[in-house]
Amino acid sequence: MKHRWAALIFVLALTALVTRGADAQGGTGRDRGAGMELGQNFPNPFNPETRIPFALGDPDQCDAARLYRVTLRVYNVLSQPVATPLLQGEGAPPDMAGRTLENLSLPCGRYTAYWDGNYMNTSREVASGVYLYVLEVDGRKILRRMIVTK
């Protein structure tokens, strides 16, 4: 039981540091060096589904030939993987829409991910609480928090 409390305190402290860093950058979750942006999920809090906006590349200088390796995952506060959202149709290449966001090669642009609020590959809904979602683009990561309510 002590290990769970220690892990929870560690994750909460980590998210506070990440949030403070995002606020210093205007609160957008944008990593200017890597050319990626992770928006806040909507709605937040949510039940049972949510959408997560993200962008790749610099919109002003988009090189359509360049592809980014993209992964988006949802974790619980104990850093255990919970789900891999799907790439939604808006802005997505037609052959990529509906695929899980795991090691996808995407061109620059704005995208939306969809998560139905279920545990990975099951129909079981996640419990109420705080969850973390991490966008990884070419090895660089951005983290944000979301809340599930029942």
Side-chain angles (χ1 to χ4, degrees):
M1 186 67 160
K2 289 181 183 179
H3 294 291
R4 286 186 183 174
W5 280 107
L8 177 61
I9 291 169
F10 174 74
V11 169
L12 291 176
L14 179 63
T15 57
L17 289 173
V18 169
T19 303
R20 191 174 311 136
D23 290 342
Q25 297 174 352
T28 63
R30 181 158 173 80
D31 184 342
R32 289 177 175 76
M36 62 186 189
E37 183 177 336
L38 179 60
Q40 185 63 50
N41 69 302
F42 60 91
N44 189 36
F46 71 95
N47 179 24
E49 59 189 34
T50 190
R51 283 158 181 75
I52 303 168
F54 65 96
L56 305 173
D58 186 5
D60 299 329
Q61 301 171 353
C62 186
D63 179 9
R66 184 178 191 299
L67 295 178
Y68 297 86
R69 178 69 58 188
V70 179
T71 298
L72 180 65
R73 289 192 184 105
V74 177
Y75 297 91
N76 62 19
V77 293
L78 298 176
S79 298
Q80 298 166 329
V82 172
T84 303
L86 303 175
L87 183 61
Q88 201 169 34
E90 303 167 18
D95 59 333
M96 298 278 189
R99 293 180 59 187
T100 58
L101 274 161
E102 180 131 17
N103 292 319
L104 285 184
S105 293
L106 297 172
C108 62
R110 295 197 168 277
Y111 299 95
T112 303
Y114 169 79
W115 181 40
D116 60 6
N118 292 338
Y119 282 106
M120 205 173 291
N121 300 322
T122 69
S123 60
R124 206 174 72 207
E125 289 186 357
V126 298
S128 296
V130 176
Y131 290 83
L132 309 171
Y133 56 103
V134 178
L135 176 68
E136 182 177 351
V137 178
D138 294 337
R140 300 190 71 157
K141 297 179 182 182
I142 300 177
L143 174 135
R144 284 200 173 261
R145 292 180 292 194
M146 67 176 129
I147 300 172
V148 177
T149 58
K150 300 291 175 177

